[in-house]
Amino acid sequence: MNKSFITLTATLGFAGMAMSQNVSTYAGKQYLGSGDYNATSNNNLLDELFSYPLGIAVDNNNRMWVTDQHNLMILDGSLSRIRGGFLGDPTSPGAIGTDNGTGTVSRFNTPQGVEVNKNTNDVYIVDTDNALIRKGTQFVNVSNGTVFTTVAGNYSFTGDHVDGLTSAAYFSSPTDIAINSAGEMYICDFGNEVIRKISGGKVTTIAGKPKTSGDATGVGANARFYAPTGICLENDNSMLIADRNNKKIKRLNLSTNEVTDVITTGLNFPTDVVAVNGRIFVADQYCIKVYDGSTLKVYAGQELEVGYVDGAAKDAKFGLINLFTYRKADSAFYICDQVNNIIRRLTLQDPPSVAFAANKTAVNVNQTVALVSSCTRTTSYTWTITPNTYTLQSNSKLTDKDLYVSFNSTGSYTIALQGANSSDKTTVTKQNYINVSNTSNLKPVCDFTADVVTPNNVQTVRLFDLSDNAPTSWQWTINPTTFSYMNATTSTSKNADVKFSAFGTYSVTLKVTNTTGTDQKTKTNYITVAANANKQLNKTFVTLFPNPANDKVSVRGIEVVSEAMVIAANGSLVKLRTDGTDIDLSQLSVGVYFLTIKDNTGGVYQTKLIVNP
């Protein structure tokens, strides 16, 4: 199954999507065993009764084809529609066969791998127990039936291995298929322990020795597999192979036919593999694992525990997973949970990207330092400072996104920031990053900052003194005077908490003094206060970071995003998922949007958003 060539064609609202969950039931009504069915050809996604769903693929219109015991289904919007195979009891004598034809005239026998030719939008099916490769014409609409034909292989109950013309070729329990950009097909020929290629009307064996199991890297027939089950094209020159019984993921160079090892430890029963954004995801019995090039870990589900639980990826449970795919349009995996007879949806969350910087790295004892993070894809923060001779300033917490801290002793301090999200956590450590001295008899050099410079009129702004050379007294001046000091701070506090009561711009001055002298600094029109009202505000009162963005953007200047929406290319209103001040962009295609934001106080903001690939 070519899981990497996914085309994003439009901004869509996807039926069955569970907005607050990492794992959700996308289609099917859960039951154990097999043999249940609906006698109707069109059913709501969550009312469909699958019977042993094994394969899934995405077409050019973001519909999904599913192979289901003896049937081929398409998930089209909110409906599941049968497009081929027997409409009835899958255990009845007439349910299986090799018949070609239109719609439910056709017959299959345990179809598994399914893939779409992106050039034509036609669908290709590995008809496993018939040992055939089948084709279905593209889905146009309900009234146009899918026409099924045989493109390669001959029916064989026991299976065989014959290369040559597609009409003369034989396969043995083929399980998966991938199609490159030229329309050439690759077949995971499970029973023959090889990888086959279909091109120019011929079938060839490109890796492995027919009917010979083993575990070996090498070129062409020198390579060995043991029950290869799922395949994935990383690109037109590279394929990943789930070598099930060897408990490995292997890579096949499609230019040289050389097979190499990729993942050699940590797998139990790998049945499929998908490459997304530089990482490798593996279906391993009851869980999805992820490999980043050095580390393999569980991404969703439980290592050795079968079940049926939706929710957070770490808490979810799956039945035995067969094949799965990735849909770029909504950044999610769709998984054939064959034991529970359902299709599961798993949202993709890339690991957090963590970075931070200090406003100064050489400071005096008791001087406040601003540690400012520039993380992306990060939902929680944990700072660590070593040694622990420091003081957090003005209610700063080690779990804040940005940290304001002063150091009580001379020496070098190591700073670490761990960023986390639902997928993973990343830690960046800067050894001996802050160097603290105790310089005396020097005139202070004034500096300060605010944690928010575009507040509304219900937010409290924290003003932090960042001055050099140990000032001993402070004097804050703010113009105009439509503000109040908060949290027991005053105009002479080292750090001041301020709430503004009127819309407009404010200039802030800080004057600092020690026994040697005085210095002051003024930041003109430094604070811009947005009116707290149910009206649209000028876009300058909120900023987006990063912008352009691809998967997520953070909003600066408000406390909480309560609602976010854009107008899509087709004119529809698309509501986006939010978390604190972060907005999930996974529903959006590449382009330019006007983003409307509502905050927790009723303020409404609008600004331009650019979404990159």
Side-chain angles (χ1 to χ4, degrees):
M1 186 184 301
N2 180 357
K3 296 102 177 171
S4 59
F5 292 168
I6 306 299
T7 302
L8 177 58
T9 58
T11 299
L12 302 174
F14 295 106
M17 183 183 298
M19 293 302 216
S20 61
Q21 293 178 314
N22 294 93
V23 177
S24 58
T25 300
Y26 182 77
K29 187 180 293 185
Q30 188 265 351
Y31 71 95
L32 301 179
S34 63
D36 278 0
Y37 66 97
N38 287 319
T40 51
S41 57
N42 302 314
N43 300 287
N44 292 326
L45 288 180
L46 295 177
D47 293 329
E48 185 62 279
L49 285 169
F50 295 106
S51 179
Y52 217 54
L54 295 174
I56 187 166
V58 183
D59 75 2
N60 293 341
N61 302 104
N62 290 306
R63 295 178 290 248
M64 281 181 288
W65 293 89
V66 177
T67 53
D68 177 45
Q69 193 163 7
H70 307 316
N71 297 330
L72 186 69
M73 324 286 283
I74 191 167
L75 309 185
D76 175 26
S78 62
L79 295 177
S80 171
R81 307 178 189 275
I82 185 169
R83 299 300 293 171
F86 185 65
L87 179 60
D89 186 344
T91 65
S92 67
I96 64 173
T98 61
D99 306 60
N100 289 313
T102 301
T104 55
V105 170
S106 62
R107 292 291 183 270
F108 299 89
N109 191 359
T110 318
Q112 290 200 63
V114 57
E115 180 56 307
V116 173
N117 184 327
K118 299 305 178 185
N119 300 311
T120 64
N121 216 22
D122 294 330
V123 62
Y124 290 78
I125 308 102
V126 172
D127 194 358
T128 299
D129 286 349
N130 284 326
L132 300 174
I133 311 302
R134 313 282 291 278
K135 173 188 173 182
T137 54
Q138 65 174 293
F139 179 80
V140 178
N141 53 45
V142 177
S143 59
N144 285 268
T146 299
V147 180
F148 293 95
T149 55
T150 298
V151 298
N154 287 273
Y155 171 75
S156 172
F157 179 75
T158 59
D160 201 350
H161 180 276
V162 176
D163 281 339
L165 294 175
T166 54
S167 59
Y170 277 80
F171 299 89
S172 179
S173 300
T175 53
D176 203 5
I177 180 173
I179 303 176
N180 69 14
S181 62
E184 297 172 315
M185 288 176 275
Y186 297 92
I187 307 300
C188 185
D189 197 352
F190 175 92
N192 280 315
E193 314 282 2
V194 296
I195 304 299
R196 316 279 289 277
K197 181 178 180 179
I198 303 175
S199 179
K202 294 182 178 180
V203 179
T204 56
T205 299
I206 61 174
K209 184 177 181 180
K211 303 180 182 179
T212 305
S213 63
D215 183 12
T217 58
V219 177
N222 292 322
R224 294 289 185 273
F225 305 99
Y226 188 11
T229 307
I231 57 177
C232 164
L233 288 181
E234 296 178 285
N235 52 58
D236 278 351
N237 296 313
S238 181
M239 174 191 292
L240 295 173
I241 303 162
D243 194 1
R244 191 190 72 185
N245 287 10
N246 282 322
K247 302 182 179 181
K248 290 183 176 181
I249 301 300
K250 294 179 177 177
R251 178 176 281 119
L252 170 59
N253 184 318
L254 297 172
S255 299
T256 65
N257 292 340
E258 182 180 9
V259 175
T260 54
D261 287 331
V262 180
I263 304 174
T264 58
T265 60
L267 296 173
N268 299 304
F269 196 76
T271 53
D272 201 12
V273 58
V274 175
V276 182
N277 299 342
R279 292 190 290 167
I280 296 173
F281 295 82
V282 181
D284 193 24
Q285 286 188 299
Y286 316 121
C287 66
I288 301 294
K289 292 181 177 177
V290 61
Y291 180 68
D292 62 5
S294 59
T295 303
L296 179 71
K297 62 179 69 175
V298 174
Y299 185 79
Q302 310 303 310
E303 175 90 36
L304 295 171
E305 186 176 353
V306 66
Y308 174 43
V309 176
D310 284 337
K314 65 181 179 63
D315 301 321
K317 292 182 181 180
F318 295 88
L320 188 65
I321 298 170
N322 197 56
L323 303 179
F324 71 120
T325 193
Y326 175 70
R327 184 163 71 175
K328 184 177 179 180
D330 58 336
S331 299
F333 297 101
Y334 289 83
I335 300 163
C336 292
D337 186 340
Q338 66 185 63
V339 166
N340 289 310
N341 290 294
I342 53 178
I343 305 301
R344 311 287 288 277
R345 178 180 184 270
L346 167 63
T347 53
L348 173 65
Q349 174 69 73
D350 285 332
S353 174
V354 176
F356 69 91
N359 67 312
K360 292 183 179 180
T361 58
V363 297
N364 268 318
V365 170
N366 297 325
Q367 180 180 344
T368 299
V369 172
L371 296 169
V372 179
S373 66
S374 54
C375 303
T376 58
R377 303 187 300 272
T378 302
T379 57
S380 65
Y381 306 82
T382 303
W383 295 90
T384 303
I385 303 173
T386 307
N388 64 356
T389 52
Y390 61 87
T391 300
L392 299 179
Q393 295 294 322
S394 192
N395 298 314
S396 279
K397 299 184 293 295
L398 292 174
T399 54
D400 286 347
K401 186 174 186 179
D402 301 326
L403 194 66
Y404 299 87
V405 58
S406 61
F407 301 91
N408 306 336
S409 303
T410 60
S412 295
Y413 288 77
T414 294
I415 311 295
L417 173 61
Q418 181 186 91
N421 60 25
S422 61
S423 164
D424 210 342
K425 55 189 176 184
T426 301
T427 300
V428 171
T429 301
K430 297 186 179 183
Q431 298 286 344
N432 301 323
Y433 183 53
I434 305 295
N435 296 292
V436 182
S437 58
N438 193 1
T439 305
S440 60
N441 301 320
L442 293 177
K443 175 183 173 180
V445 178
C446 186
D447 193 15
F448 65 90
T449 191
D451 66 337
V452 179
V453 295
T454 56
N456 58 39
N457 58 350
V458 299
Q459 284 180 273
T460 297
V461 176
R462 294 186 292 176
L463 298 170
F464 294 93
D465 167 52
L466 302 178
S467 302
D468 287 329
N469 301 331
T472 55
S473 66
W474 301 264
Q475 179 65 56
W476 295 95
T477 304
I478 302 174
N479 287 306
T481 59
T482 48
F483 70 91
S484 301
Y485 288 102
M486 309 297 293
N487 302 323
T489 63
T490 70
S491 63
T492 60
S493 298
K494 178 179 180 179
N495 305 307
D497 291 353
V498 178
K499 181 180 288 187
F500 298 90
S501 57
F503 167 77
T505 57
Y506 291 77
S507 297
V508 180
T509 299
L510 175 61
K511 179 180 178 181
V512 293
T513 303
N514 65 16
T515 57
T516 305
T518 297
D519 190 31
Q520 73 176 37
K521 187 172 203 175
T522 297
K523 295 187 179 183
T524 303
N525 298 329
Y526 182 50
I527 306 293
T528 301
V529 181
N532 181 31
N534 287 315
K535 63 179 182 179
Q536 211 161 45
L537 301 175
N538 189 291
K539 65 182 181 181
T540 59
F541 295 123
V542 294
T543 57
L544 305 178
F545 180 84
N547 192 17
N550 50 31
D551 58 349
K552 185 174 69 173
V553 69
S554 295
V555 183
R556 303 286 175 84
I558 60 178
E559 288 185 331
V560 175
V561 177
S562 62
E563 189 174 1
M565 62 199 77
V566 298
I567 302 298
N570 62 4
S572 64
L573 188 67
V574 179
K575 290 189 176 182
L576 306 177
R577 289 169 282 190
T578 65
D579 182 9
T581 57
D582 293 334
I583 300 175
D584 183 357
L585 306 180
S586 61
Q587 298 178 68
L588 300 182
S589 58
V590 174
V592 179
Y593 299 85
F594 282 101
L595 173 66
T596 300
I597 302 165
K598 293 182 180 179
D599 68 11
N600 58 319
T601 67
V604 182
Y605 309 79
Q606 191 174 68
T607 189
K608 184 167 72 173
L609 167 67
I610 301 172
V611 178
N612 276 350

